[in-house]
Short mmCIF file of all heavy atoms in Angstrom, two decimals:
data_model
loop_
_atom_site.label_atom_id
_atom_site.label_comp_id
_atom_site.label_asym_id
_atom_site.label_seq_id
_atom_site.Cartn_x
_atom_site.Cartn_y
_atom_site.Cartn_z
N ILE P 1249 28.29 65.97 -36.57
CA ILE P 1249 27.90 64.62 -37.14
C ILE P 1249 29.11 63.71 -37.10
O ILE P 1249 29.08 62.57 -36.69
CB ILE P 1249 27.40 64.78 -38.60
CG1 ILE P 1249 26.02 65.52 -38.56
CG2 ILE P 1249 27.26 63.43 -39.23
CD1 ILE P 1249 25.56 65.91 -39.94
N ASP P 1250 30.28 64.22 -37.42
CA ASP P 1250 31.51 63.44 -37.34
C ASP P 1250 31.83 63.03 -35.87
O ASP P 1250 32.27 61.88 -35.67
CB ASP P 1250 32.66 64.17 -37.93
CG ASP P 1250 32.60 64.40 -39.42
OD1 ASP P 1250 31.84 63.59 -40.05
OD2 ASP P 1250 33.31 65.26 -39.99
N ILE P 1251 31.65 63.96 -34.98
CA ILE P 1251 31.90 63.54 -33.54
C ILE P 1251 31.02 62.45 -33.11
O ILE P 1251 31.41 61.48 -32.47
CB ILE P 1251 31.70 64.86 -32.65
CG1 ILE P 1251 32.85 65.87 -32.94
CG2 ILE P 1251 31.67 64.50 -31.21
CD1 ILE P 1251 32.56 67.26 -32.39
N ILE P 1252 29.70 62.51 -33.51
CA ILE P 1252 28.72 61.49 -33.11
C ILE P 1252 29.15 60.17 -33.74
O ILE P 1252 29.09 59.11 -33.11
CB ILE P 1252 27.32 61.92 -33.50
CG1 ILE P 1252 26.82 63.10 -32.66
CG2 ILE P 1252 26.35 60.77 -33.41
CD1 ILE P 1252 25.59 63.75 -33.15
N SER P 1253 29.55 60.23 -34.99
CA SER P 1253 29.98 59.06 -35.71
C SER P 1253 31.22 58.41 -35.06
O SER P 1253 31.27 57.18 -34.92
CB SER P 1253 30.32 59.42 -37.18
OG SER P 1253 30.84 58.32 -37.85
N ASP P 1254 32.16 59.25 -34.62
CA ASP P 1254 33.45 58.76 -34.01
C ASP P 1254 33.25 58.26 -32.60
O ASP P 1254 33.83 57.27 -32.25
CB ASP P 1254 34.47 59.88 -34.03
CG ASP P 1254 34.91 60.23 -35.46
OD1 ASP P 1254 34.65 59.50 -36.38
OD2 ASP P 1254 35.57 61.33 -35.56
N ALA P 1255 32.40 58.92 -31.78
CA ALA P 1255 32.45 58.68 -30.37
C ALA P 1255 31.08 58.59 -29.70
O ALA P 1255 30.93 58.47 -28.53
CB ALA P 1255 33.30 59.71 -29.63
N GLY P 1256 29.99 58.78 -30.46
CA GLY P 1256 28.65 58.67 -29.93
C GLY P 1256 28.05 59.99 -29.50
O GLY P 1256 28.72 61.00 -29.41
N LEU P 1257 26.73 59.98 -29.18
CA LEU P 1257 25.99 61.14 -28.84
C LEU P 1257 26.52 61.81 -27.55
O LEU P 1257 26.59 63.09 -27.50
CB LEU P 1257 24.52 60.85 -28.63
CG LEU P 1257 23.66 60.70 -29.87
CD1 LEU P 1257 22.27 60.12 -29.48
CD2 LEU P 1257 23.56 61.95 -30.62
N GLU P 1258 26.91 61.06 -26.60
CA GLU P 1258 27.37 61.62 -25.32
C GLU P 1258 28.62 62.42 -25.46
O GLU P 1258 28.96 63.23 -24.59
CB GLU P 1258 27.54 60.55 -24.27
CG GLU P 1258 28.59 59.52 -24.53
CD GLU P 1258 28.25 58.45 -25.56
OE1 GLU P 1258 27.10 58.30 -25.90
OE2 GLU P 1258 29.21 57.75 -26.00
N SER P 1259 29.37 62.20 -26.53
CA SER P 1259 30.64 62.95 -26.72
C SER P 1259 30.42 64.31 -27.33
O SER P 1259 31.39 65.09 -27.47
CB SER P 1259 31.58 62.14 -27.58
OG SER P 1259 31.00 61.94 -28.87
N LEU P 1260 29.22 64.66 -27.74
CA LEU P 1260 28.96 65.91 -28.34
C LEU P 1260 28.93 67.05 -27.31
O LEU P 1260 27.89 67.18 -26.64
CB LEU P 1260 27.65 65.88 -29.18
CG LEU P 1260 27.37 67.05 -30.06
CD1 LEU P 1260 28.39 67.22 -31.20
CD2 LEU P 1260 26.00 67.01 -30.66
N THR P 1261 29.98 67.81 -27.27
CA THR P 1261 30.04 68.98 -26.34
C THR P 1261 30.59 70.16 -27.07
O THR P 1261 31.25 70.00 -28.12
CB THR P 1261 30.98 68.67 -25.13
OG1 THR P 1261 32.31 68.57 -25.63
CG2 THR P 1261 30.58 67.43 -24.36
N ILE P 1262 30.21 71.34 -26.59
CA ILE P 1262 30.68 72.58 -27.20
C ILE P 1262 32.25 72.61 -27.31
O ILE P 1262 32.82 72.94 -28.36
CB ILE P 1262 30.12 73.80 -26.52
CG1 ILE P 1262 28.57 73.84 -26.66
CG2 ILE P 1262 30.69 75.08 -27.09
CD1 ILE P 1262 27.98 73.87 -28.07
N PRO P 1263 32.92 72.32 -26.22
CA PRO P 1263 34.44 72.35 -26.29
C PRO P 1263 34.95 71.41 -27.34
O PRO P 1263 35.95 71.71 -28.05
CB PRO P 1263 34.88 71.90 -24.89
CG PRO P 1263 33.77 72.21 -23.98
CD PRO P 1263 32.53 72.04 -24.80
N ILE P 1264 34.40 70.16 -27.48
CA ILE P 1264 34.89 69.20 -28.53
C ILE P 1264 34.57 69.77 -29.95
O ILE P 1264 35.42 69.72 -30.80
CB ILE P 1264 34.28 67.86 -28.30
CG1 ILE P 1264 34.93 67.24 -27.00
CG2 ILE P 1264 34.56 66.90 -29.47
CD1 ILE P 1264 34.35 65.92 -26.56
N ILE P 1265 33.39 70.35 -30.10
CA ILE P 1265 33.05 70.92 -31.39
C ILE P 1265 34.00 72.03 -31.72
O ILE P 1265 34.48 72.18 -32.83
CB ILE P 1265 31.59 71.41 -31.37
CG1 ILE P 1265 30.62 70.26 -31.17
CG2 ILE P 1265 31.21 72.13 -32.63
CD1 ILE P 1265 29.17 70.70 -30.87
N SER P 1266 34.29 72.88 -30.68
CA SER P 1266 35.21 73.97 -30.92
C SER P 1266 36.59 73.50 -31.33
O SER P 1266 37.23 74.06 -32.26
CB SER P 1266 35.37 74.77 -29.57
OG SER P 1266 36.32 75.81 -29.72
N MET P 1267 37.08 72.45 -30.69
CA MET P 1267 38.40 71.86 -31.08
C MET P 1267 38.36 71.30 -32.48
O MET P 1267 39.31 71.50 -33.29
CB MET P 1267 38.86 70.83 -30.10
CG MET P 1267 39.32 71.34 -28.79
SD MET P 1267 40.08 70.11 -27.70
CE MET P 1267 38.96 68.74 -27.77
N ARG P 1268 37.30 70.64 -32.84
CA ARG P 1268 37.17 69.96 -34.09
C ARG P 1268 37.04 70.97 -35.27
O ARG P 1268 37.52 70.74 -36.38
CB ARG P 1268 35.99 69.02 -34.06
CG ARG P 1268 35.73 68.10 -35.27
CD ARG P 1268 36.79 67.03 -35.40
NE ARG P 1268 36.62 65.91 -34.49
CZ ARG P 1268 36.03 64.77 -34.74
NH1 ARG P 1268 35.55 64.51 -35.97
NH2 ARG P 1268 35.97 63.83 -33.81
N THR P 1269 36.35 72.09 -35.01
CA THR P 1269 36.10 73.10 -36.07
C THR P 1269 37.08 74.24 -36.10
O THR P 1269 37.13 75.02 -37.04
CB THR P 1269 34.69 73.66 -35.90
OG1 THR P 1269 34.62 74.29 -34.61
CG2 THR P 1269 33.64 72.61 -36.05
N ASN P 1270 37.79 74.35 -34.97
CA ASN P 1270 38.73 75.54 -34.80
C ASN P 1270 37.85 76.83 -34.79
O ASN P 1270 38.31 77.86 -35.24
CB ASN P 1270 39.78 75.61 -35.87
CG ASN P 1270 41.00 76.42 -35.40
OD1 ASN P 1270 41.20 76.62 -34.22
ND2 ASN P 1270 41.76 76.93 -36.35
N ILE P 1271 36.64 76.67 -34.22
CA ILE P 1271 35.80 77.91 -34.04
C ILE P 1271 35.64 78.11 -32.54
O ILE P 1271 35.43 77.15 -31.74
CB ILE P 1271 34.34 77.62 -34.61
CG1 ILE P 1271 34.42 77.40 -36.13
CG2 ILE P 1271 33.43 78.75 -34.28
CD1 ILE P 1271 33.19 76.99 -36.79
N ASN P 1272 35.89 79.33 -32.09
CA ASN P 1272 35.83 79.73 -30.72
C ASN P 1272 34.48 79.28 -30.11
O ASN P 1272 33.39 79.46 -30.73
CB ASN P 1272 36.02 81.22 -30.63
CG ASN P 1272 36.02 81.70 -29.22
OD1 ASN P 1272 34.94 81.64 -28.56
ND2 ASN P 1272 37.13 82.19 -28.70
N GLU P 1273 34.48 78.79 -28.85
CA GLU P 1273 33.23 78.40 -28.23
C GLU P 1273 32.18 79.47 -28.21
O GLU P 1273 30.96 79.25 -28.44
CB GLU P 1273 33.48 77.94 -26.78
CG GLU P 1273 34.17 76.62 -26.71
CD GLU P 1273 34.42 76.12 -25.25
OE1 GLU P 1273 33.49 76.32 -24.43
OE2 GLU P 1273 35.45 75.55 -25.07
N MET P 1274 32.58 80.74 -27.99
CA MET P 1274 31.68 81.86 -27.97
C MET P 1274 30.96 82.03 -29.39
O MET P 1274 29.81 82.36 -29.48
CB MET P 1274 32.30 83.11 -27.52
CG MET P 1274 32.75 83.08 -26.02
SD MET P 1274 31.48 82.59 -24.91
CE MET P 1274 30.32 83.87 -25.04
N MET P 1275 31.75 81.79 -30.38
CA MET P 1275 31.18 81.88 -31.74
C MET P 1275 30.14 80.77 -32.04
O MET P 1275 29.17 80.99 -32.63
CB MET P 1275 32.32 81.82 -32.74
CG MET P 1275 31.84 82.00 -34.17
SD MET P 1275 31.07 83.59 -34.48
CE MET P 1275 32.41 84.35 -35.39
N ILE P 1276 30.46 79.61 -31.47
CA ILE P 1276 29.44 78.50 -31.58
C ILE P 1276 28.13 78.91 -30.97
O ILE P 1276 27.08 78.61 -31.47
CB ILE P 1276 30.02 77.21 -30.96
CG1 ILE P 1276 31.26 76.76 -31.84
CG2 ILE P 1276 28.96 76.10 -30.95
CD1 ILE P 1276 31.98 75.52 -31.31
N TYR P 1277 28.25 79.50 -29.79
CA TYR P 1277 27.01 79.95 -29.05
C TYR P 1277 26.24 81.10 -29.78
O TYR P 1277 25.12 81.27 -29.60
CB TYR P 1277 27.38 80.43 -27.63
CG TYR P 1277 27.59 79.28 -26.69
CD1 TYR P 1277 28.88 79.06 -26.18
CD2 TYR P 1277 26.57 78.40 -26.34
CE1 TYR P 1277 29.10 78.00 -25.30
CE2 TYR P 1277 26.80 77.34 -25.47
CZ TYR P 1277 28.08 77.10 -24.93
OH TYR P 1277 28.26 76.12 -24.12
N LYS P 1278 27.01 81.71 -30.74
CA LYS P 1278 26.32 82.69 -31.57
C LYS P 1278 25.27 82.07 -32.51
O LYS P 1278 24.21 82.61 -32.77
CB LYS P 1278 27.33 83.48 -32.41
CG LYS P 1278 26.71 84.47 -33.32
CD LYS P 1278 27.85 85.10 -34.16
CE LYS P 1278 27.24 85.97 -35.27
NZ LYS P 1278 28.15 86.42 -36.23
#
C-alpha cells in the first residue's frame, strides 16, 4: 500500500516489496 501511495500501481513489484519489507522474495512467494 505504501509503495502504491509513493509511486503508483506500476511500481508494485516483488523485488521492491522485498526491499521495502526486508523479506526475501522467495518468502513473499510463500
Side-chain angles (χ1 to χ4, degrees):
I1249 292 168
D1250 290 342
I1251 291 165
I1252 292 167
S1253 177
D1254 293 345
L1257 283 172
E1258 66 283 346
S1259 63
L1260 188 65
T1261 65
I1262 299 297
I1264 291 174
I1265 296 167
S1266 176
M1267 286 189 314
R1268 188 71 73 102
T1269 59
N1270 202 22
I1271 297 173
N1272 180 293
E1273 287 181 38
M1274 293 310 294
M1275 182 63 102
I1276 293 171
Y1277 284 113
K1278 177 183 171 193

